[in-house]
Amino acid sequence: MNGGHNLSEAEKKRIEELEFEPGPVPPLRPVDRFGFLKPAGTGAEASSKPPAKPQSEREREERRLRKWRKMIGVGGTDWKHYVRRKPHVVKRRIRKGIPDCLRGLVWQLISGSRDLLLMNQGIYEQLVVYETSAAELDIIRDISRTFPSHVFFQQRHGPGQRSLYNVLKAYSVYDREVGYVQGMGFLAGLLLLYMSEEDAFWLLVALLKGAVHAPMEGLYLAGLPLVQQYLFQFERLVREQLPRLGSHFEEEVINPSMYASQWFITVFSYSFPFSLELRIWDVFLYEGVKIVFRVGLALLKYCQDDLVKLPFEKLVHALRNFPEDALQPDVLLPMAYSIKVSRRLEELRQEYIMMTNPLPQAEQLIKQTSPRDQRTEQQTSLDSDLIFLDNWISPALQKVCGTKIEWVPCRKLSWRWNSKPTPGDLQRFHFDRSHAIDHEASCIDEEGSAEPVALVDDDSKQEGEARKADSRPDRGKKKISLAPKPASFSTGEIAFEEIAEDVYGLERRAGTRLNASAADIASTSTSRHICPSGQRKFSATPTPEWPDMFEINAAETIEMFENDRDLMRITDEQLREVKYHKMTKEPVTRFAAEDVEVNISFPREGISTRSRSSGIKPHLSSPLSKKGKSSHVVDNPQPNPQPNDVNLNTTVSTEEE
Amino acid sequence: MAGNSGPEFDHIFKLLLIGDSGVGKSSLLLRFTSDTFDDLSPTIGVDFKLKLVTLSGRRLKLTIWDTAGQERFRTLTSSYYRGAQGVILVYDVTRRDTFTDLSEVWLKEVELYSTNPDCIKMLVGNKVDKDAERVVSKQEGIAFARQYGCLFLECSAKTRANVQLCFEELVQKILDTPSLLADTKGVKKNLLRPEEPYNPQAAPGAGNCTC
């Protein structure tokens, strides 16, 4: 099967060979930029150099790399800090692709494998050197069949094959229940192209045991339980999200096990273009398995028009051979990001568990395996919003109001600003998060420290500050402009509520989080609580003291809206409506500050007080505790307003109207 | 693409390749469908290939499912036996365990999951190019085939020896078995499908396939 690789009875001998005798170094052949041999047919083009990149692109890449280096710090020292403060920036940058030269390090940082390695020094060596595994022969047989076209794994018994063997064997010893399953080799192989054996091993452990996201070991355990579950979920998602294709599949009796099992088992590392695999893995390690569903759905969606025409046999063939244009990362991934799956995935997971287990066990299972992925993500969003507000909004308000601003937790679904600015002081907010984040990022990148520039208030007296901020050259999107004089805004319009939700998505997210914890405590199913019916209404009670306007950029709003669609239970139709509304009618939407009810307020010391009054005992520690405060649940019904401890330089930029 | 009005084939058959991991199932199939030989990755789950052939004047569309050999994957592969007219059992003539597993494992799987009582089984010993390492003799193969009522051939996907013949003999035998030709006109889809819901013969464990 594997050309020229003999596997006979005397395989023990082969293990020894593997230890001692590398085979001949294969002759030099042209490879692509990732080290894969070029297909024989393209030999002619292979020898010619790829066209040099234009200067501008090179510069852009260099800039990008600099940003990444700053974000990571020396040897990853700044990483955690950065992620905690700006998870959105990190997420966005990762989605654009991790620079190849930093990939190995970043993968270790985002997967949690770094920590595992540090906590378990010496274990790997023990596993490799002293233990034996029943799977050794199986592993050896597959070694030369894993990425056979990559130079690193070409040489028989060479360093690549040897590392691959060691990692797989170590894992099969580390977890004898899983042992070795074909498919794991692709995971390990991919990792080994970017890191050392030991690092790759711990990353494998992190994934299978679930260091950050839900454990993956169910993909490989006897009966492949997680594969079955994922296939079930995927089939349903296809039917729901691509109904035309779904019913065609049904007619032709196509099920996802015919084409998608390897997507899940190898996380797309089996038969896709390598550049795409890497981009998927970047996101997979940071955001979890739902990217696999998303990419799968995006592929089907992209090819839907062709697929629905095909009869069974051609369909199966097509599902295993997607056209090249569908597999371009910059086409496929944005499409994948736009497909929302989190909420349905969780519901379908529970449905699957209920379906495949007797009732008492099923409930137990659902309880035990709370959706870790989802919770971390919500938590991160919440964290980031709070941090964002702290860094950006508070300073501005503080300057304007002359009082400290505290974001305090309120009732479950409503938020209150602790210290109300004096009426009249504040003329207008301009809130554009993309600007804010980009600006902040660029400040950090260029100056090594964050310099949040917050809201704008036209009539406030901060011109000096503003000039200071503006005088810095080359700040990218830092400029925060002012809105024209506000038009009136009817609170009855659909856009209002949605925009308000977008801007202060915190309310929603915090609600989510409270509910998630409530679910844990009350031992009830989580999904029912995650977003109670989605009809959180903003109390839009205009107060006469607040005649001011918020302004939001439509594109950004839509993006945020789409991003949080899962949590908000927005239907396609609603989304379309919003898009339509925002794109056509209100490229920039303004609404009065009081409409968003300056009731909006944000937890600072953990979620507490009012949530208690609604019968929920909070147990999650405060995200902001990471800033050095104690990380305990605040049981105190009246959270102590703390001085704003943002240890960053803050600048309030203002402009005259 | 042929519309419903004029099918481009006379029969459509479903074939299945089974056997231990690494015996050369995928290589055999690749040799048959595209006459190439390459380093192949282990099959994860199932793979699928389509081949049009003309045999005895009849145009045939072969849909061939290639399965993962590793034990862990059997939960995924077992549903693909249903409705197959032919099963190719592959072993590696240089590894005895792959030969003994045929009766220990693979024939049992066929018995358990196949739904065509008359489905044709073809025993194939692969890798005969490695003659020096051979541990399973041709006589053993013949004896096995006789015992279990299979067709038998030895072949090499690497040198292409006998590969075409394997499939041709199997398909010829299917053509010669009238009970297998029902529902192969491509009208009823369910014979192709691993998990079609309304198969009247879906009685697992019928065990007719041992012949």
Side-chain angles (χ1 to χ4, degrees):
Chain A
M1 178 141 192
N2 38 332
H5 194 159
N6 300 340
L7 292 171
S8 73
E9 304 264 298
E11 277 172 319
K12 272 291 170 195
K13 196 179 124 226
R14 207 142 294 149
I15 298 181
E16 285 163 22
E17 257 179 50
L18 195 73
E19 299 277 316
F20 302 111
E21 264 181 59
V25 180
L28 283 178
R29 281 167 57 189
V31 295
D32 68 11
R33 70 191 172 106
F34 296 113
F36 285 92
L37 300 176
K38 299 210 170 175
T42 61
E45 306 98 78
S47 55
S48 66
K49 287 197 168 175
K53 286 177 188 164
Q55 180 77 9
S56 60
E57 196 179 320
R58 275 213 310 276
E59 277 172 7
R60 213 186 50 197
E61 274 180 22
E62 274 168 28
R63 262 204 313 278
R64 199 170 133 246
L65 195 56
R66 271 204 304 278
K67 283 186 189 176
W68 270 93
R69 287 198 200 282
K70 287 233 168 94
M71 185 157 78
I72 294 169
V74 180
T77 43
D78 294 344
W79 176 259
K80 280 189 183 167
H81 185 59
Y82 200 102
V83 172
R84 210 172 292 134
R85 282 190 319 158
K86 301 190 187 64
H88 280 107
V89 178
V90 174
K91 181 171 169 181
R92 208 184 35 178
R93 286 189 182 165
I94 285 177
R95 284 182 169 198
K96 286 180 185 167
I98 300 169
D100 207 50
C101 58
L102 297 174
R103 204 163 241 141
L105 175 60
V106 175
W107 279 4
Q108 292 174 57
L109 293 169
I110 57 184
S111 65
S113 74
R114 237 326 140 84
D115 299 334
L116 285 175
L117 170 73
L118 296 173
M119 285 185 296
N120 296 284
Q121 305 238 6
I123 302 270
Y124 178 72
E125 193 189 349
Q126 173 79 24
L127 294 172
V128 171
V129 179
Y130 299 105
E131 302 279 350
T132 55
S133 157
E136 281 169 21
L137 291 184
D138 290 341
I139 297 171
I140 288 174
R141 201 171 295 135
D142 288 340
I143 288 296
S144 64
R145 306 204 280 158
T146 307
F147 293 121
S149 62
H150 194 283
V151 277
F152 185 58
F153 298 112
Q154 277 254 302
Q155 190 191 5
R156 201 171 136 201
H157 311 322
Q161 292 198 359
R162 200 184 289 219
S163 304
L164 186 57
Y165 171 79
N166 286 345
V167 171
L168 292 171
K169 185 205 133 185
Y171 195 86
S172 72
V173 176
Y174 176 83
D175 182 348
R176 292 186 190 270
E177 206 185 339
V178 166
Y180 165 71
V181 181
Q182 288 173 336
M184 290 165 67
F186 290 88
L187 271 62
L190 184 67
L191 298 175
L192 282 170
L193 295 176
Y194 286 91
M195 59 193 75
S196 77
E197 253 179 72
E198 190 172 7
D199 293 335
F201 169 77
W202 286 110
L203 211 159
L204 208 55
V205 174
L207 287 177
L208 268 69
K209 295 296 177 189
V212 177
H213 302 291
M216 276 171 70
E217 60 186 349
L219 288 175
Y220 307 105
L221 286 167
L224 313 181
L226 200 53
V227 181
Q228 310 274 14
Q229 181 198 312
Y230 286 165
L231 292 176
F232 169 83
Q233 289 170 304
F234 191 75
E235 182 165 34
R236 293 284 296 271
L237 286 172
V238 172
R239 254 189 268 164
E240 290 164 14
Q241 306 227 359
L242 306 167
R244 206 153 48 98
L245 189 59
S247 63
H248 183 58
F249 280 175
E250 217 164 323
E251 261 166 48
E252 295 292 325
V253 204
I254 294 279
N255 67 57
S257 89
M258 295 173 181
Y259 59 93
S261 32
Q262 7 166 299
W263 296 354
F264 292 107
I265 292 171
T266 68
V267 194
F268 284 110
S269 64
Y270 182 67
S271 57
F272 283 84
F274 196 66
S275 58
L276 175 63
E277 290 173 8
L278 292 172
R279 293 284 301 275
I280 294 174
W281 270 71
D282 291 344
V283 181
F284 166 68
L285 292 174
Y286 192 62
E287 299 181 31
V289 73
K290 64 182 183 225
I291 189 64
V292 180
F293 287 91
R294 285 174 158 177
V295 170
L297 288 167
L299 268 172
L300 297 183
K301 191 175 175 185
Y302 186 90
C303 304
Q304 174 162 237
D305 291 343
D306 298 324
L307 293 176
V308 290
K309 295 180 201 141
L310 300 178
F312 177 83
E313 12 2 299
K314 291 187 174 153
L315 194 50
V316 184
H317 181 80
L319 289 167
R320 306 181 144 272
N321 299 278
F322 287 98
E324 215 169 273
D325 55 323
L327 298 172
Q328 288 164 1
D330 292 323
V331 174
L332 187 62
L333 291 178
M335 200 164 177
Y337 302 145
S338 75
I339 299 175
K340 300 302 162 189
V341 294
S342 310
R343 180 179 52 79
R344 276 306 282 159
L345 271 184
E346 172 54 18
E347 288 169 356
L348 290 169
R349 186 185 73 91
Q350 295 186 10
E351 192 180 323
Y352 182 79
I353 292 176
M354 295 300 266
M355 212 174 68
T356 49
N357 294 279
L359 194 61
Q361 281 99 310
E363 282 175 348
Q364 196 64 32
L365 274 170
I366 290 173
K367 240 188 292 173
Q368 277 169 4
T369 53
S370 63
R372 210 190 295 201
D373 272 350
Q374 214 167 343
R375 219 169 42 197
T376 16
E377 181 171 294
Q378 287 155 10
Q379 214 165 316
T380 330
S381 305
L382 180 61
D383 287 3
S384 81
D385 274 349
L386 294 172
I387 289 161
F388 175 81
L389 283 160
D390 260 345
N391 290 353
W392 294 77
I393 299 190
S394 305
L397 290 176
Q398 243 167 279
K399 303 231 167 167
V400 174
C401 312
T403 49
K404 298 255 178 209
I405 305 296
E406 291 302 323
W407 310 109
V408 289
C410 291
R411 271 170 294 126
K412 196 164 61 171
L413 293 175
S414 149
W415 299 83
R416 201 163 292 278
W417 203 334
N418 203 19
S419 125
K420 264 199 179 179
T422 347
D425 274 359
L426 200 63
Q427 286 296 309
R428 191 163 65 207
F429 280 174
H430 173 109
F431 187 107
D432 182 330
R433 202 161 159 190
S434 65
H435 283 207
I437 290 174
D438 276 353
H439 169 70
E440 192 180 7
S442 64
C443 287
I444 290 185
D445 292 336
E446 278 151 37
E447 292 156 32
S449 70
E451 274 214 27
V453 173
L455 311 178
V456 173
D457 166 18
D458 14 343
D459 288 347
S460 69
K461 297 112 195 149
Q462 317 289 336
E463 297 142 25
E465 293 278 0
R467 235 168 265 130
K468 191 175 141 207
D470 281 345
S471 64
R472 280 174 226 275
D474 201 14
R475 281 286 203 75
K477 289 183 180 174
K478 68 177 179 301
K479 194 161 179 291
I480 298 180
S481 61
L482 287 175
K485 210 58 189 167
S488 67
F489 192 86
S490 137
T491 49
E493 279 185 64
I494 175 176
F496 164 69
E497 273 191 24
E498 281 150 3
I499 294 168
E501 285 222 25
D502 288 343
V503 179
Y504 296 100
L506 332 155
E507 184 251 29
R508 172 181 67 250
R509 286 177 182 137
T512 299
R513 179 169 137 133
L514 278 173
N515 280 307
S517 59
D520 291 342
I521 291 161
S523 309
T524 46
S525 122
T526 333
S527 77
R528 252 172 284 147
H529 293 274
I530 277 173
C531 181
S533 75
Q535 79 312 60
R536 254 163 285 70
K537 293 235 162 59
F538 271 77
S539 38
T541 26
T543 44
E545 325 78 271
W546 274 74
D548 314 310
M549 303 299 291
F550 287 78
E551 176 188 308
I552 293 163
N553 167 298
E556 172 73 359
T557 312
I558 290 172
E559 191 193 321
M560 292 170 72
F561 193 76
E562 285 185 325
N563 282 342
D564 293 320
R565 216 178 133 198
D566 287 353
L567 291 173
M568 294 162 65
R569 302 195 175 221
I570 303 297
T571 64
D572 286 337
E573 201 175 315
Q574 281 169 322
L575 184 63
R576 264 197 304 279
E577 219 171 287
V578 173
K579 276 187 181 167
Y580 174 78
H581 182 91
K582 290 188 179 165
M583 284 312 192
T584 55
K585 298 193 182 148
E586 306 250 11
V588 173
T589 315
R590 292 159 213 106
F591 50 91
E594 71 270 19
D595 288 345
V596 201
E597 203 181 340
V598 185
N599 274 344
I600 296 175
S601 139
F602 311 88
R604 171 158 195 83
E605 274 307 293
I607 294 169
S608 68
T609 55
R610 318 275 160 92
S611 63
R612 239 169 137 222
S613 66
S614 61
I616 296 158
K617 190 171 181 224
H619 79 287
L620 291 168
S621 62
S622 160
L624 294 179
S625 61
K626 292 160 197 155
K627 282 186 165 176
K629 305 220 161 161
S630 69
S631 65
H632 297 302
V633 174
V634 179
D635 270 340
N636 184 350
Q638 194 60 53
N640 293 330
Q642 296 284 334
N644 190 322
D645 66 339
V646 181
N647 53 357
L648 303 160
N649 305 327
T650 58
T651 311
V652 174
S653 85
T654 60
E655 283 180 26
E656 291 291 348
E657 201 168 34
Chain B
M1 187 189 328
N4 295 331
S5 47
E8 64 203 288
F9 52 87
D10 299 318
H11 297 286
I12 180 162
F13 291 149
K14 175 180 174 180
L15 309 180
L16 185 70
L17 280 156
I18 56 173
D20 278 2
S21 172
V23 296
K25 298 179 291 297
S26 304
S27 294
L28 212 57
L29 184 55
L30 187 67
R31 175 60 84 188
F32 175 61
T33 54
S34 12
D35 196 23
T36 49
F37 183 79
D38 208 349
D39 289 329
L40 293 178
S41 304
T43 305
I44 310 289
V46 289
D47 198 0
F48 174 84
K49 291 241 170 2
L50 188 63
K51 171 102 172 167
L52 294 163
V53 294
T54 306
L55 200 67
S56 317
R58 278 181 278 192
R59 292 162 309 162
L60 308 172
K61 189 179 248 187
L62 306 180
T63 61
I64 309 164
W65 291 98
D66 177 22
T67 62
Q70 202 184 18
E71 187 176 356
R72 206 66 66 89
F73 289 110
R74 277 182 220 149
T75 44
L76 285 182
T77 56
S78 56
S79 60
Y80 289 82
Y81 290 76
R82 178 171 293 179
Q85 285 89 8
V87 177
I88 301 179
L89 299 123
V90 188
Y91 68 96
D92 175 352
V93 296
T94 70
R95 278 166 61 204
R96 178 157 297 276
D97 54 324
T98 67
F99 184 67
T100 48
D101 273 352
L102 290 177
S103 54
E104 303 273 317
V105 176
W106 296 109
L107 280 172
K108 288 179 181 157
E109 294 274 301
V110 176
E111 262 179 55
L112 203 56
Y113 299 114
S114 170
T115 56
N116 258 338
D118 298 323
C119 89
I120 310 297
K121 283 168 296 174
M122 172 103 204
L123 180 67
V124 174
N126 190 27
K127 305 194 189 177
V128 290
D129 53 289
K130 299 180 182 177
D131 202 40
E133 293 173 52
R134 179 197 273 273
V135 293
V136 183
S137 70
K138 190 167 183 175
Q139 281 67 36
E140 287 176 280
I142 293 170
F144 184 99
R146 195 165 288 155
Q147 186 183 349
Y148 293 100
C150 311
L151 302 171
F152 174 66
L153 267 180
E154 283 190 339
C155 73
S156 163
K158 193 175 183 182
T159 65
R160 71 164 70 79
N162 275 349
V163 174
Q164 291 293 323
L165 203 56
C166 282
F167 288 87
E168 276 170 24
E169 286 202 4
L170 175 64
V171 173
Q172 187 60 55
K173 182 81 178 177
I174 295 173
L175 283 172
D176 296 342
T177 311
S179 66
L180 291 175
L181 295 183
D183 302 327
T184 60
K185 301 285 185 187
V187 185
K188 271 185 97 178
K189 287 166 177 171
N190 62 5
L191 279 182
L192 271 175
R193 311 304 147 70
E195 283 185 331
E196 35 72 37
Y198 309 114
N199 190 340
Q201 326 170 327
N208 303 333
C209 253
T210 41
C211 309

